[in-house]
Amino acid sequence: MERIYNFNAGPGVLPEDVLKEVQADLFNYKGKGLSVMEMSHRSKEYQEIFEDARATMKRVLNVGDDYEVLFLGGGAHTQFLMVAMNLIQEGKVGNYVVTGSWAEKAYKEAKKIGKLTHIAASSEDKNFTYLPKTFNLSDNAAFLHYCSNNTIFGTECLDDSIFPTNVPLVCDMSSDFLSHPIDTKKYSLIYAGAQKNIGPAGTTAVIIRKDIIDTFNTGLPTMLSYKTHIDKDSMYNTPPTFPVYVVGLVLKWIENKGLENIKQNNIKKAGFIYNVIDNSEFYTGTVAKEDRSLMNVTFRLPNEDLEAKFINEAKKIDIIGIKGHRSVGGCRASVYNALPIKACEVLAQFMVDFEKANK
Ligand SMILES: *Cc1c(COP(=O)(O)O)cnc(C)c1O
């Protein structure tokens, strides 16, 4: 066996071409006589790698110097805190849309540090199985915070025309970042942990529209202030050098394919699995059809024993990572950008065979 069918929710599958390039350059990066891991982050060689990653990000997002691109450590969890700390000024209110566990964590983090908060919409009434389409903003809103893809529940917003335009939009795009084209200009701040769609764990991309920088709170702890990282070009301290290098390669891979092609491919891939679910009484999708995610396909079998058997038998034919998140149970197949289409065909066929044998 060369590679298994990897449906892990995160860290997730990476493009094979990128892994091979990393492997080829791992020991001796392009004849420089050392590995990227061993380079000074201030060296000319590394500066080029870093600048290249940043420039590719801007091209893929179709933005110019009106946006800052940072690569920070600490994961998306640290962004829950930094967004609240930096963007909610005295007397202003952080507006949150609560559509699942991650979105709720972002909201709770703002509360925890004593910021004024408001829930602008929530789908908790139906256990996060759909996405609210209208938002009730508070007075003095600092921003509207949204999570574009709910990794655990399996809902995704693919239509960013639903957002109000009279308030800065902040988006956690961790699990669907660069999986389809977006209108970047709508967003004041985007963050995404790399390990779902754009690289290995260890760095988080933060994209900030420059016009909101002046509104950031000052006097914050050094590492938690966006200004520190903006002023020092993401090099205030040692950045996650190796993860950013790999992210740069994945960004090039994305750029070469094109976001629209990637989206069409993702529709096809998720479609294989949704198709089986829709044509079966054995499998049940867990979320509203119009809000289904192209990244995380969530479903249930008739009972938990069958689910355990399903996951076990899948493993025997090299399908891994299809157990649902521990907080919700069931099954989840994560079909990120880099997952080959073949993997989805194999899983779909396995689902059909398993149903025949077990219903
Ligand atoms: C995985 C995930 C997170 C958490 O990311 P960490 O990098 O582990 O902190 C946050 N938001 C979303 C939408 C995620 O999918």
Side-chain angles (χ1 to χ4, degrees):
M1 176 225 324
E2 266 273 280
R3 302 262 297 162
I4 53 175
Y5 304 114
N6 181 357
F7 292 89
N8 278 329
V13 59
L14 288 169
E16 289 182 14
D17 292 347
V18 168
L19 292 175
K20 285 181 181 155
E21 187 173 344
V22 169
Q23 185 181 39
D25 285 336
L26 189 69
F27 190 69
N28 182 350
Y29 178 77
K30 308 219 181 294
K32 308 275 183 202
L34 77 177
S35 157
V36 172
M37 283 179 272
E38 303 167 294
M39 288 177 184
S40 160
H41 56 297
R42 312 218 182 262
S43 65
K44 183 172 154 287
E45 288 78 17
Y46 190 73
Q47 287 288 334
E48 265 171 28
I49 292 171
F50 198 88
E51 281 311 318
D52 209 28
R54 239 191 338 206
T56 314
M57 178 78 87
K58 284 186 178 174
R59 286 196 305 272
V60 172
L61 286 171
N62 198 19
V63 293
D65 287 339
D66 43 342
Y67 280 79
E68 291 280 355
V69 174
L70 306 176
F71 292 110
L72 305 180
H77 276 87
T78 303
Q79 294 312 306
F80 299 161
L81 173 63
M82 285 179 74
V83 163
M85 257 192 169
N86 285 263
L87 274 68
I88 309 178
Q89 308 89 13
E90 189 73 32
K92 290 268 196 168
V93 184
N95 279 238
Y96 287 83
V97 182
V98 178
T99 49
S101 311
W102 299 122
E104 190 170 31
K105 273 193 166 180
Y107 160 71
K108 285 192 173 155
E109 198 68 13
K111 277 177 82 85
K112 196 168 186 175
I113 58 166
K115 296 291 186 181
L116 297 176
T117 54
H118 167 76
I119 295 181
S122 168
S123 54
E124 196 174 7
D125 57 338
K126 290 188 182 159
N127 194 30
F128 304 122
T129 53
Y130 72 101
L131 293 176
K133 310 289 185 302
T134 56
F135 311 100
N136 159 36
L137 292 176
S138 71
D139 289 340
N140 299 318
F143 55 74
L144 182 69
H145 181 282
Y146 194 78
C147 179
S148 54
N149 184 70
N150 297 281
T151 327
I152 294 174
F153 291 92
T155 54
E156 179 180 25
C157 173
L158 289 162
D159 173 15
D160 52 20
S161 72
I162 62 170
F163 299 115
T165 49
N166 58 344
V167 63
L169 186 59
V170 175
C171 195
D172 175 359
M173 291 193 188
S174 292
S175 53
D176 69 346
F177 191 45
L178 306 182
S179 65
H180 59 91
I182 58 163
D183 183 359
T184 311
K185 297 227 156 35
K186 284 199 155 78
Y187 300 86
S188 293
L189 192 149
I190 294 168
Y191 60 91
Q195 72 273 20
K196 309 299 177 22
N197 247 332
I198 62 158
T203 191
T204 304
V206 183
I207 325 289
I208 302 172
R209 202 170 65 204
K210 284 186 180 167
D211 63 358
I212 64 158
I213 294 173
D214 284 342
T215 69
F216 289 172
N217 288 320
T218 53
L220 302 176
T222 312
M223 282 299 287
L224 297 177
S225 168
Y226 286 127
K227 279 191 175 143
T228 303
H229 302 289
I230 291 168
D231 290 348
K232 297 288 186 215
D233 248 357
S234 266
M235 291 266 176
Y236 173 75
N237 70 324
T238 319
T241 53
F242 196 77
V244 173
Y245 155 65
V246 182
V247 165
L249 298 180
V250 176
L251 288 169
K252 282 256 166 69
W253 179 85
I254 290 171
E255 186 177 34
N256 284 335
K257 293 199 176 301
L259 279 182
E260 186 55 40
N261 290 333
I262 286 186
K263 178 183 179 180
Q264 293 310 321
N265 202 43
N266 287 335
I267 290 173
K268 214 187 224 173
K269 276 162 36 186
F272 279 115
I273 306 165
Y274 284 128
N275 227 349
V276 175
I277 294 169
D278 290 344
N279 290 304
S280 149
E281 275 164 25
F282 188 76
Y283 301 103
T284 321
T286 54
V287 301
K289 258 190 184 181
E290 75 267 20
D291 297 327
R292 291 199 295 210
S293 171
L294 297 177
M295 297 280 99
N296 312 98
V297 179
T298 51
F299 56 95
R300 309 241 33 168
L301 276 69
N303 61 58
E304 286 184 7
D305 288 343
L306 280 171
E307 284 168 354
K309 187 176 177 195
F310 176 77
I311 291 160
N312 243 332
E313 288 193 7
K315 229 176 252 162
K316 290 181 194 150
I317 55 164
D318 295 329
I319 293 171
I320 67 142
I322 54 169
K323 194 170 197 287
H325 190 269
R326 61 191 182 283
S327 63
V328 295
C331 295
R332 169 180 58 177
S334 299
V335 294
Y336 296 126
N337 285 350
L339 185 75
I341 205 158
K342 171 90 189 300
C344 297
E345 290 174 318
V346 168
L347 175 59
Q349 187 58 50
F350 169 70
M351 289 171 74
V352 170
D353 296 343
F354 188 87
E355 173 173 354
K356 267 190 206 131
N358 290 278
K359 77 173 167 192

